Amino acid sequence: MNAKVNISNRAGASFPVRRMDFEFGEVPRYWANGDAALTHFMTALSALFPEGEQFFVNSTRAVRNDPKLADPRLQREISAFIGQEAMHSKEHLAFNASAQAYGYNVRKMEAQTGRLINRTIGVTSKLLKPFGFTKEMISLTGTCALEHFTSTIAEELLSNPDIQAMFMDETMYHLWMWHAVEENEHKAVAFDVYESMYGQGAKAYFMRSLALVIAMGLIFITQSYFTAKLLQVDGKLTWRDTKYMLKFMYGYKGFMTRQIPTLLSFLRPKFHPNDDDTTELLNKWRAELGFNPS
Ligand SMILES: [Fe+2]
Ligand SMILES: [Fe+2]
């Protein structure tokens, strides 16, 4: 793999933090299937990550000293979760910089993502304050909803060879597969923090259901807008240049279309991220990517 890997489990959590140092200098312009639209779809997702994952870290840090989270096991999981997300931010920032070098203004998209997150949390907090919802609760529930989105997409990446085949570049393959493994390793942490803080009652359930609807809507709009902006740079925002990607992602049984039932499972009152057991899948991929301790 085109990266140095440094695995550490200082926190003693159920999963380690892997420090990666990918080299993106040789990544071709259209690294996904040689297709501009498919590549830009993935780059648009990557543009959301640095600020998005920083938001997850901040939301969790904001509450971690609360006495309700005193359980040492949960504290260890929080530390490792923060470590993994910080590494994802760092590597996607590095990849985004390599796309910037091709003339795509991904840095601007990262900044727009940060502003969107701040505004959404600000407006929602103001609107829901009279009903007793705090900014900390809203941020954390947003994190839970977005973590459900990332772990769902990540599981599909790990499970579907047709999707894996789109990664024609080895570095990009390893970046996304490493990220996908870790999203599933830590998928329950934010949710466990949320339930420990706010319980499983009607108020907590209402807030997380609302968060899912808002988060999915905003991701869809923002990521589609970024994809269109990237295609515009190449003069490829046309039906001819996008139809393959649109079918691949949103067609009948497309990559994103297929995720809808799993995404909606979050709305079940008794939902927990570990209801979907990915242990075997993770064991397979940790071996495949050389992540097992030697
Ligand atoms: Fe992540
Ligand atoms: Fe995550």
Side-chain angles (χ1 to χ4, degrees):
M1 155 178 3
N2 187 13
K4 285 176 239 133
V5 189
N6 188 338
I7 304 179
S8 112
N9 196 352
R10 263 179 305 181
S14 65
F15 52 88
V17 177
R18 303 176 186 89
R19 186 182 174 85
M20 313 296 278
D21 272 302
F22 288 104
E23 271 299 327
F24 295 107
E26 304 287 307
V27 174
R29 182 180 283 264
Y30 300 138
W31 51 267
N33 251 358
D35 184 76
L38 207 54
T39 304
H40 291 331
F41 184 98
M42 299 303 283
T43 304
L45 268 183
S46 183
L48 299 170
F49 287 145
E51 287 291 332
E53 302 194 296
Q54 189 57 49
F55 165 69
F56 303 164
V57 169
N58 295 344
S59 307
T60 315
R61 270 207 189 119
V63 295
R64 82 172 293 180
N65 293 327
D66 191 285
K68 291 193 208 77
L69 305 178
D71 173 15
R73 190 204 68 85
L74 186 55
Q75 283 292 331
R76 289 196 292 272
E77 299 290 282
I78 293 171
S79 295
F81 166 70
I82 289 175
Q84 285 196 340
E85 292 297 21
M87 286 302 117
H88 302 167
S89 271
K90 170 182 163 296
E91 291 306 317
H92 280 275
L93 206 59
F95 162 69
N96 294 351
S98 77
Q100 185 89 17
Y102 278 118
Y104 306 111
N105 201 351
V106 188
R107 208 167 302 137
K108 185 177 172 191
M109 295 172 186
E110 291 166 356
Q112 287 172 327
T113 305
R115 283 199 296 275
L116 177 72
I117 293 171
N118 285 339
R119 270 189 211 141
T120 307
I121 296 299
V123 170
T124 321
S125 304
K126 210 178 242 174
L127 287 174
L128 296 180
K129 196 177 171 191
F131 305 99
F133 294 96
T134 61
K135 189 177 174 192
E136 285 74 23
M137 183 180 189
I138 291 167
S139 300
L140 195 58
T141 196
T143 299
C144 293
L146 291 164
E147 280 286 280
H148 178 58
F149 173 79
T150 50
S151 63
T152 302
I153 300 291
E155 186 180 352
E156 181 70 13
L157 268 182
L158 296 174
S159 314
N160 192 331
D162 290 345
I163 313 264
Q164 292 149 22
M166 82 171 160
F167 295 104
M168 291 168 59
D169 178 78
E170 212 204 322
T171 305
M172 294 312 288
Y173 171 78
H174 282 111
L175 168 76
W176 284 95
M177 291 304 159
W178 157 69
H179 195 164
V181 163
E182 296 198 346
E183 284 309 318
N184 276 280
E185 286 179 330
H186 72 227
K187 67 180 176 181
V189 179
F191 196 89
D192 287 342
V193 169
Y194 181 70
E195 288 204 335
S196 303
M197 286 291 295
Y198 305 109
Q200 298 175 318
K203 193 173 162 186
Y205 174 68
F206 165 79
M207 195 56 241
R208 75 173 171 84
S209 303
L210 181 67
L212 185 83
V213 175
I214 296 174
M216 293 310 99
L218 287 179
I219 283 206
F220 178 73
I221 293 166
T222 316
Q223 191 268 352
S224 303
Y225 172 71
F226 288 170
T227 307
K229 283 301 233 187
L230 292 165
L231 280 161
Q232 224 171 25
V233 176
D234 294 341
K236 287 182 188 283
L237 188 55
T238 65
W239 170 244
R240 192 170 60 98
D241 290 309
T242 52
K243 64 175 188 248
Y244 173 75
M245 177 275 282
L246 289 171
K247 186 164 177 266
F248 188 93
M249 292 296 173
Y250 296 113
Y252 177 65
K253 292 197 176 173
F255 177 25
M256 301 305 275
T257 324
R258 263 201 315 268
Q259 308 317 311
I260 293 171
T262 314
L263 288 173
L264 294 179
S265 69
F266 191 81
L267 299 176
R268 275 191 292 115
K270 294 275 168 221
F271 169 87
H272 187 275
N274 288 340
D275 294 344
D276 176 22
D277 185 359
T278 40
T279 315
E280 242 174 70
L281 187 66
L282 284 175
N283 285 338
K284 179 187 147 217
W285 276 97
R286 280 188 287 247
E288 175 88 23
L289 297 171
F291 288 160
N292 285 334
S294 49

